[in-house]
């Protein structure tokens, strides 16, 4: 076997043995779509927020700096079996721009999640996350 063949097989085995990052998108919105947030999360041993899109009051905020939106940074994120809390900060990490607080509930095969979304200087809303 050539060196290249061995290297290619080794690379394939390493890639196959590396665990994939499971992702899920949580989409929550207020009544009448007054505000909404879409959070793409990867789950490892701890919560990992990969991307956030936030809309309210005709304004948009994103962690990936989409054109026409204000860039935000994930300041902190917490998840356990009962709740999720995510704080978004400005780019300079000097102030909290938005807070998402969600409560989880489940019984048998039924699951529900909802809570509050607040955006500094814009408003606060009760949100539900029906597609989680």
């Amino acid at each position: 076997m050539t060196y290249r063949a061995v290297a290619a097989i080794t690379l394939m085995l390493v890639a196959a043995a590396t665990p994939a990052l499971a992702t899920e998108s949580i989409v929550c919105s207020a009544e009448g779509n007054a505000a909404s947030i879409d959070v793409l999360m990867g789950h490892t041993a701890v919560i990992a927020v990969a991307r956030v899109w936030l809309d309210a009051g005709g304004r948009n905020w994103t962690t990936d700096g989409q054109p026409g939106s204000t860039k935000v940074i994930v300041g902190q994120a917490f998840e356990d079996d009962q709740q999720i809390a995510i704080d978004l900060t400005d780019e300079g990490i000097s102030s909290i721009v938005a807070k998402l607080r969600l409560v989880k509930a489940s019984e048998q095969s039924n699951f529900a999640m909802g809570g509050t979304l607040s955006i500094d200087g814009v408003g606060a809303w009760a949100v539900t996350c029906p597609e989680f």
Side-chain angles (χ1 to χ4, degrees):
M1 215 181 266
T2 68
Y3 172 77
R4 285 188 177 171
V6 171
I9 291 170
T10 303
L11 183 60
M12 288 186 323
L13 290 173
V14 168
T18 303
L21 179 64
T23 60
E24 62 186 331
S25 187
I26 298 173
V27 180
C28 306
S29 60
E31 187 173 330
N33 287 325
S36 66
I37 187 166
D38 182 341
V39 180
L40 180 64
M41 298 190 326
H43 285 280
T44 56
V46 296
I47 185 175
V49 177
R51 174 196 40 80
V52 176
W53 291 340
L54 177 60
D55 297 301
R59 296 174 58 192
N60 302 326
W61 297 261
T62 64
T63 53
D64 54 4
Q66 291 291 318
S69 68
T70 302
K71 185 161 175 65
V72 292
I73 307 293
V74 177
Q76 63 181 351
F78 170 80
E79 180 180 26
D80 64 17
D81 61 337
Q82 296 179 355
Q83 62 187 335
I84 294 175
I86 299 172
D87 289 345
L88 303 171
T89 70
D90 60 6
E91 279 191 277
I93 313 173
S94 61
S95 64
I96 295 175
V97 174
K99 296 178 182 179
L100 178 65
R101 302 293 184 263
L102 300 174
V103 177
K104 302 176 187 179
S106 63
E107 184 62 38
Q108 296 180 6
S109 63
N110 298 318
F111 185 81
M113 187 163 53
T116 60
L117 170 63
S118 60
I119 304 171
D120 187 44
V122 180
W125 302 268
V127 293
T128 57
C129 314
E131 297 179 16
F132 180 73

